[in-house]
Amino acid sequence: MIGTNVVVAGSLLVLTVVIGLVAHECAHALVLTLASVDYTVTYAPGRTDGIVGLLTSCPWAVVQPHPTGRESAMVLRVAALAPLALAVPVFGLGASGIVPAESPIVTTVGIGWLACAIPSPQDFSVAFYAHRALDAHAHDSNTATPLSRAD
């Protein structure tokens, strides 16, 4: 019986992380959409070496805004840190007591989802230096500022 739980929990962890990475990128994109900032989403950018190369290399996905220079740096900062909102459902369900937290399967899914809620180092870089990215764009209209690189 314990072996079955491990297999199910492991499978759900992988599935949760895949779905969570998509949700992570969608969180960035949602904020940019609401702020009317053009962007592109690329999954597995520059990867042609098969599934093993995709799984073992970074980044898995990139949201790349295309600012005009008129946007507020705060928009880019909020977009960069938007995935933190993914933690709200996990903590909400945990605090409500509706979901049995002692279940290893529920715990595994929660951990996988919370892992996807953590902004990447590139996200933090954009949050701290968004004003520099906008200044650079003002000087060079061909600059494309990477917003997120999910690891």
Side-chain angles (χ1 to χ4, degrees), residues 8-9 12-13 16-17 90 103-115:
V8 170
L12 284 175
L13 177 64
T16 301
V17 168
V90 174
S103 167
I105 293 174
V106 171
T107 303
T108 302
V109 169
I111 289 170
W113 190 257
L114 287 174

mmCIF file of all heavy atoms in Angstrom, residues 8-9 12-13 16-17 90 103-115:
data_model
loop_
_atom_site.group_PDB
_atom_site.id
_atom_site.type_symbol
_atom_site.label_atom_id
_atom_site.label_comp_id
_atom_site.label_asym_id
_atom_site.label_seq_id
_atom_site.Cartn_x
_atom_site.Cartn_y
_atom_site.Cartn_z
ATOM 1 N N VAL A 8 1.752 7.326 -6.767
ATOM 2 C CA VAL A 8 0.697 8.316 -7.030
ATOM 3 C C VAL A 8 1.187 9.717 -6.670
ATOM 4 O O VAL A 8 1.002 10.662 -7.442
ATOM 5 C CB VAL A 8 -0.595 7.961 -6.254
ATOM 6 C CG1 VAL A 8 -1.605 9.096 -6.323
ATOM 7 C CG2 VAL A 8 -1.204 6.679 -6.796
ATOM 8 N N ALA A 9 1.827 9.849 -5.518
ATOM 9 C CA ALA A 9 2.329 11.163 -5.096
ATOM 10 C C ALA A 9 3.393 11.681 -6.066
ATOM 11 O O ALA A 9 3.380 12.865 -6.426
ATOM 12 C CB ALA A 9 2.892 11.079 -3.677
ATOM 13 N N LEU A 12 1.646 12.775 -9.287
ATOM 14 C CA LEU A 12 0.918 14.021 -9.079
ATOM 15 C C LEU A 12 1.867 15.209 -8.902
ATOM 16 O O LEU A 12 1.538 16.324 -9.295
ATOM 17 C CB LEU A 12 -0.013 13.905 -7.872
ATOM 18 C CG LEU A 12 -1.286 13.096 -8.117
ATOM 19 C CD1 LEU A 12 -2.082 12.942 -6.832
ATOM 20 C CD2 LEU A 12 -2.138 13.733 -9.197
ATOM 21 N N LEU A 13 3.022 14.967 -8.315
ATOM 22 C CA LEU A 13 4.001 16.039 -8.173
ATOM 23 C C LEU A 13 4.450 16.533 -9.543
ATOM 24 O O LEU A 13 4.490 17.749 -9.794
ATOM 25 C CB LEU A 13 5.203 15.571 -7.358
ATOM 26 C CG LEU A 13 6.334 16.588 -7.193
ATOM 27 C CD1 LEU A 13 5.856 17.799 -6.411
ATOM 28 C CD2 LEU A 13 7.532 15.937 -6.522
ATOM 29 N N THR A 16 1.553 18.365 -11.170
ATOM 30 C CA THR A 16 1.324 19.651 -10.510
ATOM 31 C C THR A 16 2.367 20.678 -10.914
ATOM 32 O O THR A 16 2.044 21.847 -11.162
ATOM 33 C CB THR A 16 1.329 19.481 -8.978
ATOM 34 O OG1 THR A 16 0.309 18.548 -8.619
ATOM 35 C CG2 THR A 16 1.081 20.795 -8.274
ATOM 36 N N VAL A 17 3.617 20.281 -11.009
ATOM 37 C CA VAL A 17 4.674 21.215 -11.393
ATOM 38 C C VAL A 17 4.487 21.666 -12.842
ATOM 39 O O VAL A 17 4.664 22.844 -13.152
ATOM 40 C CB VAL A 17 6.070 20.599 -11.160
ATOM 41 C CG1 VAL A 17 7.156 21.431 -11.809
ATOM 42 C CG2 VAL A 17 6.330 20.451 -9.671
ATOM 43 N N VAL A 90 -3.355 27.531 -1.801
ATOM 44 C CA VAL A 90 -2.765 26.474 -0.969
ATOM 45 C C VAL A 90 -2.878 26.839 0.499
ATOM 46 O O VAL A 90 -3.312 26.037 1.328
ATOM 47 C CB VAL A 90 -1.293 26.217 -1.364
ATOM 48 C CG1 VAL A 90 -0.645 25.229 -0.413
ATOM 49 C CG2 VAL A 90 -1.213 25.705 -2.789
ATOM 50 N N SER A 103 -2.487 13.990 4.631
ATOM 51 C CA SER A 103 -2.391 13.088 3.490
ATOM 52 C C SER A 103 -1.104 13.368 2.716
ATOM 53 O O SER A 103 -0.854 14.516 2.325
ATOM 54 C CB SER A 103 -3.596 13.275 2.572
ATOM 55 O OG SER A 103 -3.378 12.644 1.330
ATOM 56 N N PRO A 104 -0.276 12.339 2.462
ATOM 57 C CA PRO A 104 0.965 12.588 1.716
ATOM 58 C C PRO A 104 0.703 13.053 0.283
ATOM 59 O O PRO A 104 1.495 13.817 -0.273
ATOM 60 C CB PRO A 104 1.689 11.244 1.742
ATOM 61 C CG PRO A 104 0.679 10.240 2.136
ATOM 62 C CD PRO A 104 -0.405 10.953 2.869
ATOM 63 N N ILE A 105 -0.384 12.639 -0.287
ATOM 64 C CA ILE A 105 -0.696 13.047 -1.655
ATOM 65 C C ILE A 105 -1.062 14.527 -1.691
ATOM 66 O O ILE A 105 -0.588 15.282 -2.543
ATOM 67 C CB ILE A 105 -1.814 12.159 -2.244
ATOM 68 C CG1 ILE A 105 -1.282 10.739 -2.413
ATOM 69 C CG2 ILE A 105 -2.334 12.720 -3.551
ATOM 70 C CD1 ILE A 105 -2.289 9.716 -2.837
ATOM 71 N N VAL A 106 -1.881 14.979 -0.739
ATOM 72 C CA VAL A 106 -2.252 16.391 -0.670
ATOM 73 C C VAL A 106 -1.023 17.245 -0.374
ATOM 74 O O VAL A 106 -0.836 18.310 -0.962
ATOM 75 C CB VAL A 106 -3.354 16.605 0.402
ATOM 76 C CG1 VAL A 106 -3.598 18.083 0.645
ATOM 77 C CG2 VAL A 106 -4.644 15.918 -0.021
ATOM 78 N N THR A 107 -0.181 16.766 0.505
ATOM 79 C CA THR A 107 1.042 17.491 0.833
ATOM 80 C C THR A 107 1.949 17.617 -0.383
ATOM 81 O O THR A 107 2.517 18.686 -0.647
ATOM 82 C CB THR A 107 1.795 16.790 1.984
ATOM 83 O OG1 THR A 107 0.924 16.698 3.105
ATOM 84 C CG2 THR A 107 3.046 17.538 2.361
ATOM 85 N N THR A 108 2.080 16.553 -1.136
ATOM 86 C CA THR A 108 2.921 16.570 -2.339
ATOM 87 C C THR A 108 2.400 17.565 -3.363
ATOM 88 O O THR A 108 3.174 18.334 -3.943
ATOM 89 C CB THR A 108 2.993 15.160 -2.956
ATOM 90 O OG1 THR A 108 3.514 14.265 -1.989
ATOM 91 C CG2 THR A 108 3.854 15.136 -4.193
ATOM 92 N N VAL A 109 1.100 17.565 -3.593
ATOM 93 C CA VAL A 109 0.507 18.504 -4.546
ATOM 94 C C VAL A 109 0.707 19.938 -4.066
ATOM 95 O O VAL A 109 1.060 20.825 -4.846
ATOM 96 C CB VAL A 109 -0.987 18.179 -4.773
ATOM 97 C CG1 VAL A 109 -1.676 19.285 -5.545
ATOM 98 C CG2 VAL A 109 -1.133 16.854 -5.506
ATOM 99 N N GLY A 110 0.513 20.162 -2.769
ATOM 100 C CA GLY A 110 0.715 21.503 -2.217
ATOM 101 C C GLY A 110 2.144 21.990 -2.365
ATOM 102 O O GLY A 110 2.389 23.144 -2.733
ATOM 103 N N ILE A 111 3.094 21.123 -2.107
ATOM 104 C CA ILE A 111 4.507 21.493 -2.244
ATOM 105 C C ILE A 111 4.852 21.794 -3.703
ATOM 106 O O ILE A 111 5.549 22.765 -4.004
ATOM 107 C CB ILE A 111 5.417 20.386 -1.676
ATOM 108 C CG1 ILE A 111 5.295 20.356 -0.154
ATOM 109 C CG2 ILE A 111 6.866 20.581 -2.102
ATOM 110 C CD1 ILE A 111 5.959 19.164 0.496
ATOM 111 N N GLY A 112 4.372 20.981 -4.619
ATOM 112 C CA GLY A 112 4.623 21.221 -6.045
ATOM 113 C C GLY A 112 4.034 22.543 -6.509
ATOM 114 O O GLY A 112 4.671 23.294 -7.261
ATOM 115 N N TRP A 113 2.821 22.844 -6.047
ATOM 116 C CA TRP A 113 2.162 24.092 -6.437
ATOM 117 C C TRP A 113 2.890 25.299 -5.838
ATOM 118 O O TRP A 113 3.099 26.307 -6.505
ATOM 119 C CB TRP A 113 0.705 24.070 -6.012
ATOM 120 C CG TRP A 113 -0.080 25.195 -6.578
ATOM 121 C CD1 TRP A 113 -0.470 26.333 -5.938
ATOM 122 C CD2 TRP A 113 -0.565 25.322 -7.910
ATOM 123 N NE1 TRP A 113 -1.168 27.147 -6.783
ATOM 124 C CE2 TRP A 113 -1.251 26.552 -8.003
ATOM 125 C CE3 TRP A 113 -0.496 24.500 -9.045
ATOM 126 C CZ2 TRP A 113 -1.845 26.978 -9.190
ATOM 127 C CZ3 TRP A 113 -1.098 24.932 -10.208
ATOM 128 C CH2 TRP A 113 -1.761 26.154 -10.275
ATOM 129 N N LEU A 114 3.279 25.190 -4.567
ATOM 130 C CA LEU A 114 4.002 26.288 -3.924
ATOM 131 C C LEU A 114 5.366 26.526 -4.581
ATOM 132 O O LEU A 114 5.833 27.666 -4.644
ATOM 133 C CB LEU A 114 4.179 26.016 -2.431
ATOM 134 C CG LEU A 114 2.914 26.152 -1.587
ATOM 135 C CD1 LEU A 114 3.192 25.717 -0.158
ATOM 136 C CD2 LEU A 114 2.373 27.572 -1.631
ATOM 137 N N ALA A 115 5.995 25.474 -5.060
ATOM 138 C CA ALA A 115 7.276 25.636 -5.750
ATOM 139 C C ALA A 115 7.111 26.488 -7.006
ATOM 140 O O ALA A 115 8.004 27.265 -7.360
ATOM 141 C CB ALA A 115 7.859 24.277 -6.110
#
